[in-house]
């Protein structure tokens, strides 16, 4: 079972609307993307995790958070996350969910402007009793969803999503948000770019499109993004595009031509050259290699 912070995309949420419960540890070889120091964008899914042991330092939407045992973090769609450091004994339990969890949060609304509240303070510190309660809920959900062939599984899943949403808003209702720091102009440009990129990269892979949204020249825009993230916008665009292509090649039977069309490439030849430039393999070779 995998957790991908880039992307938890629409293809995955169409395949399954259920939770995935995973254990996060730096030693897990199948998750190298999470533990390197590069910034990542969470796509249109939600990730909720709680630290069970160890310590770490994260940058979430330009703000730095130190997490330790009892830290409870909720990452909304289009959040930018960067892992700065972590201890060898770091361990967390995580739930990834589709947009359904966010919709449940919006419907419940026991916390006024919950989305803004969570964005201002995505990480909470739970006491021992709260930590125990949340772990019990995680274990309960994991056990109840272990058999997806049971009758009424969709109804059970929907009820569990509601339960998790109630627990989330309850946790945030009991914690006052920290004072929100005003983003600088360049920070806001980068934040807006990451949101727009997550929404538009399937159709728009030219820097000019995003620079125009920011009312900047492409050169100035590229420099701003480079200064704030360490990567040029072309690198961000290519990274997200290649990750989605790899996902489709590995997890679907879509013909290569269909994938090229889906991602708005002019033709299959251009698509193959683009993929090979960034991976060293043609799409056909990559798919065959992964299917061995």
């Amino acid at each position: 079972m995998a957790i991908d912070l880039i992307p938890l995309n629409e293809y995955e949420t169409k395949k399954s609307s259920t939770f995935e419960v995973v254990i996060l540890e730096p030693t897990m070889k199948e998750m190298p993307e999470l533990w390197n120091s590069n910034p990542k964008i969470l796509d249109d899914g939600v990730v909720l995790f709680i630290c069970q042991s160890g310590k770490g330092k994260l940058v979430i939407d330009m703000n730095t958070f130190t997490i330790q045992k009892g830290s409870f973090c909720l990452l909304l769609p289009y959040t930018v996350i960067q892992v700065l450091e972590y201890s060898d004994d770091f361990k967390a339990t995580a739930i990834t969910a589709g947009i359904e969890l966010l919709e449940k949060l919006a419907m419940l609304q026991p916390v006024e402007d919950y989305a803004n509240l969570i964005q201002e303070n995505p990480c909470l510190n739970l006491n021992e009793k709260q930590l125990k309660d949340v772990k019990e809920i995680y274990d309960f959900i994991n056990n109840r969803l272990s058999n997806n062939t049971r009758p009424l599984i969709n109804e059970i899943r929907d009820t569990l999503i509601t339960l998790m949403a109630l627990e989330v808003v309850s946790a945030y209702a009991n914690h006052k948000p920290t004072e929100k720091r005003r983003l600088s102009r360049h920070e806001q440009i980068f934040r807006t770019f990451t949101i727009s990129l997550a929404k538009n990269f399937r159709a728009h892979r030219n820097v000019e499109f995003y620079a125009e949204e920011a009312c900047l020249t492409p050169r100035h825009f590229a420099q701003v993004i480079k200064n704030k993230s360490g990567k040029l916008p072309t690198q961000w665009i290519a990274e997200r595009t290649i990750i989605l292509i790899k996902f489709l090649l590995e997890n679907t039977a879509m013909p290569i031509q269909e994938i090229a069309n889906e991602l708005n490439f002019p033709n299959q030849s251009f698509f193959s050259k683009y993929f090979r430039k960034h991976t060293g393999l043609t799409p056909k070779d990559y798919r065959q290699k992964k299917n061995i």
Side-chain angles (χ1 to χ4, degrees), residues 54-97:
K55 292 183 179 181
K57 186 174 290 186
L58 308 177
V59 176
I60 302 175
D61 280 345
M62 307 297 175
N63 295 312
T64 302
F65 296 88
T66 299
I67 58 175
Q68 55 191 352
K69 182 178 179 180
S71 293
F72 171 98
C73 299
L74 179 64
L75 307 181
L76 298 177
Y78 313 125
T79 295
V80 178
I81 180 172
Q82 182 179 11
V83 179
L84 295 182
E85 59 186 58
Y86 50 86
S87 62
D88 293 338
D89 59 341
F90 179 84
K91 182 178 180 180
T93 305
I95 284 183
T96 66

Side-chain angles (χ1 to χ4, degrees), residues 60-66 113-125 171-182:
I60 302 175
D61 280 345
M62 307 297 175
N63 295 312
T64 302
F65 296 88
T66 299
D113 296 328
Y114 79 94
N116 289 333
L117 182 64
I118 294 170
Q119 286 178 332
E120 291 171 7
N121 195 31
C123 296
L124 307 177
N125 290 317
Y172 279 91
N174 289 325
H175 289 77
K176 293 182 180 180
T178 56
E179 184 177 352
K180 188 175 182 180
R181 180 178 67 86
R182 183 180 296 274

Side-chain angles (χ1 to χ4, degrees), residues 242 245 256 260 265 267-284:
I242 293 301
I245 293 172
I256 292 174
F265 282 90
N267 52 61
Q268 183 174 333
S269 176
F270 187 89
F271 170 75
S272 296
K273 289 178 181 177
Y274 182 92
F275 187 79
R276 186 170 186 173
K277 174 183 176 182
H278 294 286
T279 66
L281 296 171
T282 65
K284 181 180 178 180

Side-chain angles (χ1 to χ4, degrees), residues 4-252:
D4 289 327
L5 292 186
I6 43 174
L8 217 161
N9 56 58
E10 65 183 13
Y11 297 94
E12 289 176 289
T13 54
K14 284 177 181 176
K15 287 177 59 180
S16 173
S17 61
T18 189
F19 296 125
E20 283 192 306
V21 181
V22 295
I23 301 300
L24 307 182
E25 294 182 89
T27 55
M28 291 183 68
K29 296 180 180 179
E30 61 268 36
M31 294 170 51
E33 309 90 358
L34 181 61
W35 306 115
N36 64 39
S37 59
N38 296 326
K40 301 157 190 71
I41 306 173
L42 179 66
D43 208 335
D44 56 358
V46 179
V47 173
L48 188 156
F49 69 90
I50 184 165
C51 181
Q52 302 289 351
S53 64
K55 292 183 179 181
K57 186 174 290 186
L58 308 177
V59 176
I60 302 175
D61 280 345
M62 307 297 175
N63 295 312
T64 302
F65 296 88
T66 299
I67 58 175
Q68 55 191 352
K69 182 178 179 180
S71 293
F72 171 98
C73 299
L74 179 64
L75 307 181
L76 298 177
Y78 313 125
T79 295
V80 178
I81 180 172
Q82 182 179 11
V83 179
L84 295 182
E85 59 186 58
Y86 50 86
S87 62
D88 293 338
D89 59 341
F90 179 84
K91 182 178 180 180
T93 305
I95 284 183
T96 66
I99 204 67
E100 304 95 331
L101 178 60
L102 199 62
E103 292 170 347
K104 288 290 184 182
L105 288 169
M107 290 172 61
L108 295 171
Q109 292 187 348
V111 179
E112 184 179 0
D113 296 328
Y114 79 94
N116 289 333
L117 182 64
I118 294 170
Q119 286 178 332
E120 291 171 7
N121 195 31
C123 296
L124 307 177
N125 290 317
L126 306 183
N127 58 38
E128 287 292 338
K129 183 181 184 306
Q130 292 171 320
L131 180 61
K132 180 181 178 181
D133 291 343
V134 172
K135 187 176 185 305
E136 288 178 352
I137 293 169
Y138 272 52
D139 291 340
F140 175 73
I141 291 175
N142 196 26
N143 291 333
R144 296 300 294 171
L145 293 178
S146 60
N147 182 0
N148 289 325
T149 62
R150 291 177 300 163
L152 302 177
I153 185 61
N154 290 332
E155 289 77 7
I156 293 172
R157 180 182 297 123
D158 186 68
T159 300
L160 292 174
I161 292 174
T162 302
L163 170 63
M164 179 55 64
L166 284 166
E167 291 294 336
V168 167
V169 294
S170 175
Y172 279 91
N174 289 325
H175 289 77
K176 293 182 180 180
T178 56
E179 184 177 352
K180 188 175 182 180
R181 180 178 67 86
R182 183 180 296 274
L183 295 180
S184 70
R185 167 64 175 156
H186 285 186
E187 287 173 335
Q188 187 59 54
I189 289 172
F190 176 60
R191 170 64 174 158
T192 301
F193 167 60
T194 60
I195 294 174
S196 179
L197 180 61
K199 294 178 179 178
N200 296 307
F201 78 99
R202 294 170 181 84
H204 298 284
R205 284 181 292 278
N206 58 309
V207 176
E208 289 77 12
F209 174 84
Y210 301 100
E212 185 175 346
E213 285 190 326
C215 299
L216 298 174
T217 66
R219 183 175 181 178
H220 186 194
F221 176 76
Q223 191 60 53
V224 169
I225 301 303
K226 173 71 172 178
N227 290 342
K228 297 312 301 179
S229 69
K231 293 190 289 187
L232 290 167
T234 50
Q235 293 174 286
W236 279 101
I237 294 167
E239 184 178 87
R240 291 187 62 76
T241 303
I242 293 301
I243 286 174
L244 179 54
I245 293 172
K246 286 181 176 179
F247 175 84
L248 295 176
L249 290 171
E250 291 180 41
N251 297 281
T252 76

